[in-house]
Amino acid sequence: MKTYDIAVIPGDGIGKEVVPVSLKVLDTIAEIHGGLKFNYTEFPWSCDYYLEHGKMMPEDGIQTLSNFNGIFLGAIGNPNVVADHISLWGLLIKIRRSFEQSINIRPAKYFKGLRSPLVNPNDFDLIVVRENSEGEYSEVGGRIHRGEDEIAIQNAVFTKKGTERAMKYAFELARQRRGHVTSATKSNGIFHSMPFWDDVFNETKQQYSDVRTSSYHIDALAAFFVTRPEIFDVIVASNLFGDILTDIGGAIMGSIGIAPAANINLNGKYPSMFEPVHGSAPDIYGQGIANPIGQIWTAKMMLDHFGEAELGKKLLDVVEDVTNEGFKTPDIGGKSSTIEVADEICSRLQKTYSHS
């Protein structure tokens, strides 16, 4: 029996609705497998926790999480009660940085049963590899003076180690897919960091002569995501550029509510973390209509990370079939509740794969 210990952080808003149903889906997958088991330990760390304790997680929170095989995160944030920069840096980014989760990967594909806003989506299937530890989201900088003389300085920090690490991951991933890597750059406008990015990309691609490459400035690349996303396979991007591109990826699928993400630790010292791209949506929390697909697809990415790619593929196939047959929440044109969608996925998994 393969057993995985999972730290579960439902977080805020709809995270508390989509995480429980996603765990039910994971347990159904484990039951179908027969030799797989998940042990869950839930932590209440959230904006509500901050209001009670003055911090997003306890002092020993990182040490506690380090004992798990993976972290399954819902959604963090409620700007009505806690400023976003406090909730984000106090939990999500703190986990990413403490556990050296240097790679963020986010797929986007033409999703059966979901109406893409694109006139001709052409069955696009791409994945963005985002450098997740430095770049434009560096903490280096500051603010000085006040009034009309106030100055804010934000330094983007790019190391060769971090940049090359993300690029090598992208090339290795492309070898498992369609063999093409696109670099997101802006070296015609950002004087130092982006020519450096280009140099490292050109050096790295020499080690992967079997992988085709292209490079686009981020403004053109964002446009191509909308006009011809089918030309892309794996895209490697800096922290900021990857963040923006993946929101576009969710949009062209038809809903950011279905987009998943994985924060990957590459050295094996610490757990990786899996989270949907969507936010906590406090405006619909408690209505039972939150879309669970982003969280469930995130569970699929966790299965992939644990070496259970076949199970992950089965899960995503069923999610698409269920969506295609009309079991959808209101945000994507359906009338089903969160629980009804998840229950249909579990039922279909059992019927389709229990005896396969």
Side-chain angles (χ1 to χ4, degrees), residues 167-233:
M167 291 174 177
K168 286 185 174 181
Y169 189 95
F171 276 97
E172 294 293 340
L173 185 59
R175 280 178 166 172
Q176 302 169 33
R177 288 172 51 93
R178 302 192 305 276
H180 186 265
V181 174
T182 299
S183 170
T185 185
K186 190 55 182 171
S187 49
N188 64 342
I190 302 178
F191 194 82
H192 294 295
S193 60
M194 285 293 107
F196 170 81
W197 176 277
D198 292 348
D199 289 344
V200 177
F201 185 74
N202 290 329
E203 288 177 19
T204 305
K205 73 181 184 182
Q206 303 305 318
Q207 304 171 43
Y208 297 89
S209 58
D210 56 320
V211 177
R212 294 170 291 115
T213 63
S214 58
S215 179
Y216 294 101
H217 294 305
I218 185 61
D219 42 355
L221 182 52
F224 290 153
F225 258 47
V226 174
T227 57
R228 43 179 173 155
E230 73 277 2
I231 71 172
F232 299 111
D233 179 18

Side-chain angles (χ1 to χ4, degrees), residues 294-316:
Q295 194 77 50
I296 293 170
W297 195 348
T298 295
K300 181 265 186 197
M301 296 187 77
M302 187 166 69
L303 288 169
D304 292 343
H305 181 69
F306 290 150
E308 304 292 345
E310 184 179 346
L311 281 175
K313 183 181 184 306
K314 287 180 177 181
L315 173 55
L316 191 58

Side-chain angles (χ1 to χ4, degrees), residues 95-114:
I95 293 171
R96 285 178 178 174
R97 300 284 168 92
S98 298
F99 289 153
E100 299 176 18
Q101 293 169 350
S102 58
I103 302 293
N104 181 283
I105 53 176
R106 297 180 177 180
K109 68 191 292 290
Y110 178 66
F111 206 84
K112 287 191 299 182
L114 201 63

Side-chain angles (χ1 to χ4, degrees), residues 260-282:
N263 301 281
I264 304 297
N265 168 269
L266 296 177
N267 58 30
K269 294 180 181 177
Y270 306 107
S272 294
M273 179 167 63
F274 305 87
E275 51 165 335
V277 176
H278 66 68
S280 60

Side-chain angles (χ1 to χ4, degrees), residues 32-336:
I32 291 168
H33 183 279
L36 187 62
K37 182 182 179 184
F38 296 104
N39 291 328
Y40 308 118
T41 303
E42 185 171 316
F43 298 95
W45 306 336
S46 61
C47 289
D48 287 341
Y49 184 91
Y50 180 88
L51 292 176
E52 186 176 347
H53 300 277
K55 59 189 75 172
M56 291 298 294
M57 63 163 67
E59 295 297 330
D60 62 350
I62 292 297
Q63 178 60 41
T64 300
L65 293 177
S66 67
N67 298 315
F68 291 86
N69 299 117
I71 302 166
F72 197 56
L73 178 69
I76 298 299
N78 185 351
N80 294 323
V81 295
V82 178
D84 276 342
H85 70 280
I86 292 176
S87 59
L88 188 69
W89 285 88
L91 186 62
L92 179 64
I93 293 180
K94 185 174 183 178
I95 293 171
R96 285 178 178 174
R97 300 284 168 92
S98 298
F99 289 153
E100 299 176 18
Q101 293 169 350
S102 58
I103 302 293
N104 181 283
I105 53 176
R106 297 180 177 180
K109 68 191 292 290
Y110 178 66
F111 206 84
K112 287 191 299 182
L114 201 63
R115 184 177 179 181
S116 169
L118 302 181
V119 175
N120 296 305
N122 293 324
D123 290 333
F124 67 89
D125 183 355
L126 58 87
I127 188 164
V128 176
V129 175
R130 168 188 169 191
E131 199 291 314
N132 204 37
S133 64
E134 51 183 37
E136 303 89 347
Y137 290 177
S138 163
E139 298 173 71
V140 180
R143 293 167 66 166
I144 58 173
H145 308 312
R146 292 291 180 269
E148 65 180 13
D149 293 323
E150 187 170 12
I151 300 171
I153 298 172
Q154 178 71 54
N155 292 329
V157 177
F158 288 76
T159 66
K160 185 164 187 179
K161 180 180 178 181
T163 302
E164 188 177 60
R165 181 170 53 203
M167 291 174 177
K168 286 185 174 181
Y169 189 95
F171 276 97
E172 294 293 340
L173 185 59
R175 280 178 166 172
Q176 302 169 33
R177 288 172 51 93
R178 302 192 305 276
H180 186 265
V181 174
T182 299
S183 170
T185 185
K186 190 55 182 171
S187 49
N188 64 342
I190 302 178
F191 194 82
H192 294 295
S193 60
M194 285 293 107
F196 170 81
W197 176 277
D198 292 348
D199 289 344
V200 177
F201 185 74
N202 290 329
E203 288 177 19
T204 305
K205 73 181 184 182
Q206 303 305 318
Q207 304 171 43
Y208 297 89
S209 58
D210 56 320
V211 177
R212 294 170 291 115
T213 63
S214 58
S215 179
Y216 294 101
H217 294 305
I218 185 61
D219 42 355
L221 182 52
F224 290 153
F225 258 47
V226 174
T227 57
R228 43 179 173 155
E230 73 277 2
I231 71 172
F232 299 111
D233 179 18
V234 178
I235 301 96
V236 63
S238 67
N239 216 334
L240 174 61
F241 292 174
D243 199 3
I244 294 169
L245 287 174
T246 50
D247 275 14
I248 299 175
I252 62 176
M253 284 195 289
S255 172
I256 202 169
I258 75 165
N263 301 281
I264 304 297
N265 168 269
L266 296 177
N267 58 30
K269 294 180 181 177
Y270 306 107
S272 294
M273 179 167 63
F274 305 87
E275 51 165 335
V277 176
H278 66 68
S280 60
D283 56 319
I284 64 166
Y285 170 59
Q287 298 178 34
I289 59 172
N291 192 335
I293 293 178
Q295 194 77 50
I296 293 170
W297 195 348
T298 295
K300 181 265 186 197
M301 296 187 77
M302 187 166 69
L303 288 169
D304 292 343
H305 181 69
F306 290 150
E308 304 292 345
E310 184 179 346
L311 281 175
K313 183 181 184 306
K314 287 180 177 181
L315 173 55
L316 191 58
D317 286 346
V318 166
V319 172
E320 282 197 84
D321 287 342
V322 166
T323 304
N324 196 38
E325 292 179 27
F327 294 92
K328 299 186 286 189
T329 47
D331 60 303
I332 53 174
K335 298 180 179 178
S336 302

